[in-house]
Amino acid sequence: MNNTPLVILLPGLDGTGVLFNRLIEHFPQSLAWRCFSADAFDSEKLSEQAQYVVDELADRPCIIFAESFSGRLAYEILNNPQSRVLHVVFAASFLQRPSFLSRFATWLPLWPLYRGLLPNWLLNKILFGEYAADPMLLSLFSQALAKAPEQRIKMRLAAVATMAPAIQPFAVPCTYVRADADYLVNSAAERHIAALSSQFSLIELQGGHFIAQCQPAACAELLQTLVINYSKPI
């Protein structure tokens, strides 16, 4: 049996995994990873998605990197009795509605976003925390948006708007990666996860909500450290 942990990447609202490209570029060749995009799932039910991931892992220990919206899926996986989750990294993620305004997420018109009508400075500020972010970040976001069906985004925004707080505590250690300029997820989401976790640690990085894209090297280093710390001789 391979006891070296496999890093599981769970993408955010877009579900494509494209936004992980910069993070993956910083992975050493020795680090084993797998991304579960939304296209991998036949069901929108989180419990069924979690079971699919667990079945695919075939009893291999893993470390989950859950980006934003996928925090709830990570929570379902670690609560699956068949899973062997060693650690979860919640990257600017949430297990309840992430802000007061998020309850109105279904009212958000998507056509200006999909038609490229929103100014770059606004997207940079909301997504990456600064008005003049690296142009490569917006390019990556555009690539992900082009592959994310609008209907998927609508369904997921509806899920965000109606998300009831998770209530079951968990013993699996977790690390929350806080973005210091996150305009989409408030501090209450972080405190909620901390209250559920019996082994909680916090890291704050400079950047916006898309923290794995703003700080790919730091996030990759965190994952590499966790893999090393959890690795055991075969």
Side-chain angles (χ1 to χ4, degrees):
M1 181 182 294
N2 189 345
N3 285 322
T4 302
L6 178 70
V7 171
I8 300 301
L9 302 177
L10 301 179
L13 193 73
D14 65 291
T16 64
V18 171
L19 288 166
F20 283 137
N21 286 354
R22 294 190 76 185
L23 174 65
I24 293 167
E25 288 175 358
H26 289 272
F27 286 171
Q29 290 187 351
S30 59
L31 190 144
W33 61 273
R34 180 172 175 182
C35 179
F36 285 88
S37 70
D39 291 335
F41 306 120
D42 294 328
S43 171
E44 290 297 323
K45 292 184 179 179
L46 289 178
S47 60
E48 295 182 7
Q49 293 181 4
Q51 187 61 56
Y52 175 81
V53 173
V54 171
D55 291 343
E56 286 290 300
L57 294 179
D59 202 39
R60 182 168 180 178
C62 68
I63 294 168
I64 297 177
F65 186 89
E67 182 179 61
S68 186
F69 177 81
S70 65
R72 200 58 181 256
L73 175 55
Y75 175 76
E76 290 286 338
I77 295 171
L78 66 86
N79 281 315
N80 185 306
Q82 298 174 304
S83 69
R84 293 186 64 195
V85 180
L86 302 175
H87 201 105
V88 179
V89 177
F90 291 103
S93 195
F94 49 91
L95 300 178
Q96 63 179 16
R97 277 196 301 246
S99 67
F100 174 80
L101 291 177
S102 64
R103 70 188 60 204
F104 307 113
T106 53
W107 298 7
L108 183 68
L110 294 177
W111 61 267
L113 182 62
Y114 272 88
R115 295 182 184 179
L117 299 180
L118 298 181
N120 288 349
W121 65 264
L122 179 61
L123 289 173
N124 278 329
K125 186 65 174 177
I126 293 174
L127 304 180
F128 311 118
E130 55 181 317
Y131 290 112
D134 184 345
M136 289 296 296
L137 293 175
L138 269 186
S139 175
L140 196 62
F141 174 74
S142 297
Q143 293 173 45
L145 192 64
K147 293 187 176 182
E150 186 173 347
Q151 186 58 32
R152 175 195 297 165
I153 303 299
K154 287 181 179 179
M155 290 178 60
R156 291 184 164 205
L157 286 175
V160 170
T162 58
M163 186 178 293
I167 59 174
Q168 183 175 338
F170 55 91
V172 174
C174 75
T175 300
Y176 193 92
V177 179
R178 175 203 291 163
D180 71 349
D182 194 336
Y183 299 109
L184 300 178
V185 175
N186 61 24
S187 59
E190 170 198 318
R191 293 195 299 271
H192 175 231
I193 293 176
L196 294 176
S197 171
S198 60
Q199 300 182 68
F200 178 86
S201 60
L202 174 68
I203 294 176
E204 181 172 284
L205 297 176
Q206 184 177 2
H209 178 66
F210 284 45
I211 195 61
Q213 292 71 46
C214 295
Q215 296 286 352
C219 289
E221 182 179 1
L222 169 62
L223 288 170
Q224 184 179 10
T225 300
L226 289 171
V227 168
I228 293 172
N229 289 343
Y230 284 105
S231 293
K232 299 177 183 179
I234 297 177

